[in-house]
Amino acid sequence: MHDVQPLVEAVDKLADRFRSLPQSKLLGAVPGHPSRAAAALVLARRLAALALAAESGPEREFPDAGAFAAGDQLAVAGHDLAAALAALPEGAAVALPDGPAAAAEVLAGAVAAVRETAELCA
């Protein structure tokens, strides 16, 4: 089993921050994204895609539920990924589009992506 606690904590912290942002901040542009909410959606979609890959599930569209749902969508996607990775045995690989990657690498990359988005949207 993988220690997914750093991912859960990072996702929860960022999701809570998005839930408390006023509309002006949610819709404010950040480098590379038309808004903070859009940056959160990109991250949530990435985490959801990784979760589906870890579960060997088919690709699915992750909907845009609007700026005010950004925190909730991020939390759901992050927790889904954490659960999927926690269920994998040590040394397991995740079948990504670019080729297989160790679950530990996927976990580390997800934590880094959450932290990068947090910095970008500060």
Side-chain angles (χ1 to χ4, degrees):
M1 296 233 323
H2 300 276
D3 179 15
V4 297
Q5 196 59 33
L7 176 60
V8 170
E9 290 173 1
V11 164
D12 285 347
K13 183 176 179 180
L14 185 57
D16 286 346
R17 199 165 94 205
F18 271 97
R19 289 179 185 121
S20 67
L21 287 176
Q23 182 177 4
S24 60
K25 288 282 190 178
L26 278 172
L27 300 179
V30 294
H33 301 280
S35 69
R36 284 176 179 83
L41 179 61
V42 167
L43 176 60
R45 285 179 169 164
R46 179 176 175 186
L47 298 178
L50 290 171
L52 287 172
E55 295 170 339
S56 300
E59 288 187 30
R60 291 189 299 248
E61 178 67 29
F62 192 89
D64 180 352
F68 292 108
D72 292 332
Q73 287 190 292
L74 182 58
V76 168
H79 282 257
D80 283 353
L81 176 57
L85 292 175
L88 294 176
E90 288 293 326
V94 176
L96 299 177
D98 297 341
E105 291 176 22
V106 172
L107 176 60
V111 171
V114 172
R115 290 180 178 154
E116 288 168 11
T117 301
E119 289 177 22
L120 180 69
C121 295

